[in-house]
Amino acid sequence: MMQIAIAFATLLFLYKAYAQTNIALPDTSTLPTTATFTSSIPNLGGDLIPTGSGVSYLTLNSTKTLSSGSLSGETAILATTIAVANGTIVSVSGSSTTSSTSSISVTILQGSHTIPATISGNSTGNTTSSRTSTSAQPTNTQPCNNFPEFCNRKYSNITQVAAHNSPFVAPNNAAANQALGVIDQLNDGIRMLQGQTHYVNETMYYCHTSCDLLNVGTAESYFANITRWVHDHPYDVVTLLIGNGDLVKIDKYIAPLQSSGLTKYAYIPPEIPMGIDDWPTLSEMILTQKRVVIFMDYNADQKTVPYVLDEFSQMWETPFSPTNRSFPCSQERPPDLSNEDIGKRMYMANHNLNTELALGGTSLLVVTVSLLNETNGLSGFGSLGAMADDCS
């Protein structure tokens, strides 16, 4: 079984699918899907939208263009060659453009850019390059998230499958959302990972609602697992959405992100915020090896930490942690966006059906297990397929 939530980019869907297979959760089959419980039960923040004076949404009336000196670790593409699956090769270098047709259906990613000291080489046309690195070569050679036709499409114009509360794998724990770990999720095709963090005793952890309820380890450990997978899959672009559960300052995340090695691959946008048409293509991100996009829901500060992007100035969401089977395609966060602003951003449609339970004095949203197949179905009321058709 699988629980699915969806994230959409403008006009094209970013499917946010949450692998939820054979996980042991409380039986909610006898509960109505819109169950309500006593309001006296405190909620520690988990699956409900945070409120209060500490919650804010950035309002950016202008775009800030970062100087080249601000883009530490970024590389400039001097030439790019992309051959899509039909065998047509389009080569762009400077202001000239040439094309040719091949009878072989191949995908070629080729470019000239700044490269690590351990690797040397150059390319001319479709010739080869030399390599001095002795590291193991990747086993996957299908570029652009396994879809070569995505190579010349912008990041903001591609459907990505994602995992809601990706780290939370814990059999027989009601706060768990996943049955398979992050490596299995990525191997299965998940390309967007979301989860909630909490800062406890000077350490950042991934905890669901409360670290007393479910603590799956440090953020650094989770980030390191992603780094290893990204290193071994050099033709894939991955998105990470960090939930700042305690609304702490961005500097608390610098150490775990850097120590994990993930910042090596972190994409730094040239503008704040990025408009829907400002994003690079997947091939550009792969060629520069800046192919991990890191978002944070609250308290990101891109002027201080440019590789952690503010989510809601560049993306909007449908209702969070839905308990309504109709899954309305309505904008909830950030609040009060104009239609014009909505059209300038990517968007995420949350398609994971939840039931609210009282557990240990806490109001907790758990997966509506009895309707997983319907929720993840291709058609019918409350299905993922229906939402994909309607929310576009």
Side-chain angles (χ1 to χ4, degrees):
M1 295 182 293
M2 178 182 291
Q3 184 198 16
I4 295 180
I6 321 179
F8 295 91
T10 38
L11 301 183
L12 278 140
F13 310 125
L14 264 97
Y15 285 103
K16 192 170 185 180
Y18 301 141
Q20 194 91 29
T21 311
N22 300 325
I23 192 164
L25 292 172
D27 182 10
T28 58
S29 59
T30 60
L31 296 174
T33 60
T34 56
T36 57
F37 297 84
T38 173
S39 59
S40 62
I41 300 171
N43 183 282
L44 303 181
D47 291 297
L48 301 183
I49 295 175
T51 59
S53 59
V55 177
S56 62
Y57 298 90
L58 293 180
T59 301
L60 301 173
N61 297 320
S62 61
T63 299
K64 175 180 174 60
T65 301
L66 301 182
S67 64
S68 58
S70 301
L71 304 179
S72 57
E74 286 291 274
T75 53
I77 299 176
L78 303 180
T80 301
T81 300
I82 302 172
V84 293
N86 62 9
T88 300
I89 300 175
V90 179
S91 179
V92 180
S93 181
S95 59
S96 63
T97 301
T98 60
S99 64
S100 61
T101 302
S102 168
S103 61
I104 302 175
S105 295
V106 295
T107 299
I108 302 172
L109 290 178
Q110 177 181 308
S112 173
H113 56 90
T114 303
I115 51 181
T118 56
I119 300 176
S120 63
N122 50 58
S123 59
T124 302
N126 291 335
T127 59
T128 61
S129 61
S130 61
R131 178 184 296 268
T132 59
S133 172
T134 58
S135 60
Q137 298 303 298
T139 57
N140 72 313
T141 56
Q142 183 86 322
C144 303
N145 293 7
N146 293 317
F147 289 91
E149 57 267 39
F150 287 171
C151 288
N152 60 352
R153 287 173 58 178
K154 292 180 181 292
Y155 169 84
S156 56
N157 196 29
I158 294 173
T159 298
Q160 298 186 46
V161 182
H164 176 67
N165 286 335
S166 162
F168 302 139
V169 179
N172 303 311
N173 188 312
N177 288 88
Q178 303 295 334
L180 303 175
V182 64
I183 299 301
D184 288 325
Q185 293 169 24
L186 290 165
N187 287 340
D188 283 347
I190 300 297
R191 289 298 177 268
M192 185 175 182
L193 305 164
Q194 183 269 348
Q196 182 188 106
T197 59
H198 288 270
Y199 194 64
V200 180
N201 296 329
E202 304 298 318
T203 302
M204 191 65 67
Y205 293 94
Y206 267 96
C207 302
H208 195 188
T209 302
S210 163
C211 288
D212 293 328
L213 184 62
L214 177 57
N215 183 341
V216 295
T218 66
E220 180 180 339
S221 175
Y222 178 71
F223 297 153
N225 281 334
I226 299 172
T227 301
R228 283 189 286 270
W229 191 92
V230 168
H231 174 270
D232 292 339
H233 297 77
Y235 305 110
D236 287 85
V237 176
V238 175
T239 302
L240 177 64
L241 174 55
I242 300 174
N244 187 351
D246 294 328
L247 304 177
V248 299
K249 293 183 178 180
I250 186 62
D251 60 353
K252 304 298 184 185
Y253 290 88
I254 295 176
L257 283 168
Q258 291 184 347
S259 298
S260 69
L262 195 58
T263 54
K264 172 184 177 182
Y265 300 101
Y267 173 73
I268 300 177
E271 297 183 353
I272 304 174
M274 293 285 277
I276 192 66
D277 295 321
D278 296 332
W279 292 89
T281 63
L282 289 200
S283 64
E284 291 169 337
M285 300 174 80
I286 292 167
L287 285 166
T288 60
Q289 286 298 291
K290 301 301 175 183
R291 50 194 177 82
V292 175
V293 183
I294 304 173
F295 286 102
M296 180 175 287
D297 55 0
Y298 298 103
N299 287 356
D301 182 354
Q302 289 182 237
K303 294 180 181 179
T304 302
V305 183
Y307 53 81
V308 178
L309 284 58
D310 174 68
E311 177 191 3
F312 293 114
S313 62
Q314 293 158 111
M315 186 187 306
W316 59 269
E317 290 191 19
T318 65
F320 187 64
S321 294
T323 57
N324 181 353
R325 284 193 68 197
S326 64
F327 295 106
C329 185
S330 56
Q331 174 260 332
E332 181 178 65
R333 292 187 296 171
D336 304 322
L337 275 186
S338 67
N339 288 334
E340 180 181 2
D341 286 336
I342 286 175
K344 294 178 180 178
R345 309 180 189 203
M346 297 181 291
Y347 60 106
M348 179 183 298
N350 294 297
H351 191 89
N352 52 97
L353 188 61
N354 302 273
T355 298
E356 189 174 0
L357 296 178
L359 183 67
T362 298
S363 176
L364 180 69
L365 292 174
V366 301
V367 181
T368 308
V369 178
S370 61
L371 293 174
L372 279 176
N373 289 337
E374 290 85 348
T375 302
N376 295 343
L378 293 176
S379 61
F381 177 69
S383 68
L384 174 64
M387 189 172 194
D389 290 336
D390 296 339
C391 196
S392 60

